[in-house]
Amino acid sequence: MLKLISAVTIAFLSVCSANVWARPFTDAAGRVVEIPDNVTRVLTAGPPASVLVYVLAPEKLTGWVREPNAQEKEFLLPSARDLPTYGRLTGQGGTANMEAVIAAKPDLIIDVGSVNPTYVSLADKVQQQTGIPYVLIDGSFENSAKTLRQVGELLGVSPRAEELAAYAETTLKDLGEGLAKVPAGERPNVYYGRGPEGLETGLFGSINLEILEAAGATNAAAAAGKGGLTNVSLEQVLGWNPDIILGASSKFISAVKSDPSWASVAAVKNGKVFAAPSLPFGWFDSPPGINRLIGIRWLEALLYPKVFDVDLKADVQKFFKLFYQVEVTDAQLDTLLKGAIEKP
C-alpha cells in the first residue's frame, strides 16, 4: 500500500511540476504549444524571427541563421555580433538540421512571417523530432505592435516589448494621418527590384512588398497579378513605366542609371532611382520583419517630402538606439543612407 501511495504521489508531483514549468500558448496557426515559464535560450527558424528576438531580448538569442557581415556587425551589439551561425529551418534553401537545432539547446523555437500549411507541417515535424516547443508568429506588418507584445510576453520581457510596440503604433498612426492628406492621384507607382539584375520582385500581396503598400504607393508589379516573389522581364518593367525605382542591390541601381535599356523609364528620366537601405537589416525587405519600421520613415521622406515633416537622420538615430541598442554617428548615417535619398 505504501508503495502505491508513493507512486501516486510521485505522479501527482510530476504533473504539478510540469504545470509550474510550462504554460499553454496558442500560436498563429491555432496550435497549442507548452512553453517553459522561464525562456532563456531561443532558436529562430528564419531571419524575421532573428531580428524580432534580437530587438526584444538579444541575450536570449542562441545564434544567427546567417552570419552577419562586417558592415552589419558595426550596427549590432558587441555581445551579439559573433554568436554562432546554425542556418535556417524555413524558406528557400533551408540549411539547419536537427543535430544543429538540438545542439543549440534552446528552450523555444520561434518562426515569424506567413503562416500556411507548409510552415505548420515543418513546426510539427521539428517539435516532434526534437521535443523543443516550436511556435509560429504572425509577421504581417500591420500587426507589428501586437507581434512585439506577444513575443515579449513569451520571452518574459514585456516592459521592453511595450516600449517597442508603442513606437510601432505611433509610426503607423503618423503614417495613416499623413497618407490621408495625399490624393490617390499623387501616390507614386514604384518598382522594387531584388538581386543584382533587379528583375526579381513581389506581386500584389507579397510580404516582401508589404511595406510599399503600407506606405500608400502602387506596386508596379501588381500589374502582373497576385502572389509572392517572381521574376519579371525588362520589357515588363518598361511597360509599367514606374515613377520611382527602388533597388536592393547597388549593382542593380548602377545599371539602371547607366544602361541605355532603362533610359526611357520615367524614374530614370527624373532621377528617381534609389537604393533601399539594408544595414544591419533591410529597411524595406530582407528580411520582411520588424526591421521595416524604420523603412516607413525613409519612405515618408522619399515619397511624400511635402506632406511628412521627417527629420530622417534624427529618426534613424532614435530607432537604432531603441531597437538595436547602438549609437549611430553622423559618418555612419551617411553610410546607412547612401543612395537612398535625394541629394539636397
Side-chain angles (χ1 to χ4, degrees):
M1 184 66 178
L2 289 176
K3 289 184 179 180
L4 177 60
I5 293 174
S6 298
V8 171
T9 302
I10 291 171
F12 174 76
L13 291 175
S14 297
V15 171
C16 290
S17 176
N19 287 336
V20 169
W21 295 106
R23 55 200 157 109
F25 172 79
T26 303
D27 72 4
R31 301 163 60 251
V32 178
V33 182
E34 292 293 322
I35 305 297
D37 272 345
N38 184 27
V39 175
T40 61
R41 292 181 59 78
V42 182
L43 185 143
T44 55
S50 291
V51 178
L52 183 61
V53 174
Y54 171 77
V55 302
L56 284 169
E59 72 282 1
K60 298 178 187 283
L61 186 65
T62 59
W64 300 103
V65 297
R66 177 187 64 79
E67 182 180 5
N69 61 38
Q71 272 194 310
E72 293 164 344
K73 287 181 179 180
E74 184 181 342
F75 298 98
L76 297 173
L77 282 168
S79 60
R81 292 172 184 168
D82 297 313
L83 288 171
T85 301
Y86 52 76
R88 59 188 298 166
L89 284 168
T90 62
Q92 297 178 349
T95 53
N97 56 42
M98 292 306 102
E99 288 77 12
V101 170
I102 294 170
K105 299 180 180 179
D107 302 310
L108 178 66
I109 299 172
I110 294 179
D111 189 22
V112 179
S114 301
V115 178
N116 61 39
T118 298
Y119 294 112
V120 172
S121 176
L122 176 64
D124 288 341
K125 178 181 177 181
V126 172
Q127 185 168 294
Q128 289 168 3
Q129 290 181 348
T130 64
I132 302 166
Y134 189 134
V135 298
L136 299 168
I137 304 295
D138 173 25
S140 58
F141 186 68
E142 67 179 0
N143 289 327
S144 293
K146 178 181 177 181
T147 296
L148 285 161
R149 290 188 176 105
Q150 183 181 47
V151 177
E153 193 277 330
L154 270 180
L155 302 185
V157 292
S158 289
R160 173 157 176 78
E162 184 57 39
E163 188 177 14
L164 302 187
Y167 177 97
E169 287 177 334
T170 299
T171 297
L172 295 183
K173 178 176 177 290
D174 292 348
L175 173 66
E177 291 175 352
L179 287 178
K181 303 173 185 176
V182 184
E186 295 180 16
R187 300 187 182 192
N189 182 36
V190 181
Y191 175 74
Y192 172 64
R194 291 166 50 101
E197 306 303 321
L199 294 177
E200 180 184 57
T201 191
L203 299 172
F204 177 77
S206 168
I207 191 172
N208 301 87
L209 273 289
E210 191 177 24
I211 187 175
L212 182 64
E213 294 166 7
T218 298
N219 172 13
K226 183 177 181 180
L229 292 175
T230 189
N231 291 313
V232 297
S233 67
L234 174 58
E235 289 70 27
Q236 283 178 292
V237 182
L238 296 178
W240 298 330
N241 194 31
D243 303 311
I244 295 174
I245 291 176
L246 305 177
S249 163
S250 58
K251 180 180 178 181
F252 169 57
I253 294 298
S254 297
V256 169
K257 292 180 177 180
S258 60
D259 188 337
S261 301
W262 291 86
S264 65
V265 178
V268 179
K269 289 180 180 179
N270 298 321
K272 302 289 187 180
V273 180
F274 304 99
S278 61
L279 295 172
F281 312 107
W283 295 20
F284 187 97
D285 180 24
S286 300
I290 211 71
N291 41 291
R292 296 174 294 174
L293 282 168
I294 188 56
I296 287 296
R297 296 302 191 196
W298 164 61
L299 287 175
E300 288 173 347
L302 184 68
L303 305 182
Y304 315 107
K306 295 180 180 179
V307 175
F308 291 91
D309 183 18
V310 178
D311 184 344
L312 187 57
K313 290 189 175 182
D315 284 343
V316 170
Q317 288 177 317
K318 176 183 177 181
F319 180 87
F320 274 57
K321 178 63 175 177
L322 179 59
F323 277 73
Y324 301 150
Q325 302 183 64
V326 294
E327 301 279 358
V328 177
T329 66
D330 290 342
Q332 289 174 320
L333 281 170
D334 291 337
T335 298
L336 290 168
L337 297 172
K338 184 179 180 180
I341 54 177
E342 296 204 55
K343 294 181 180 179

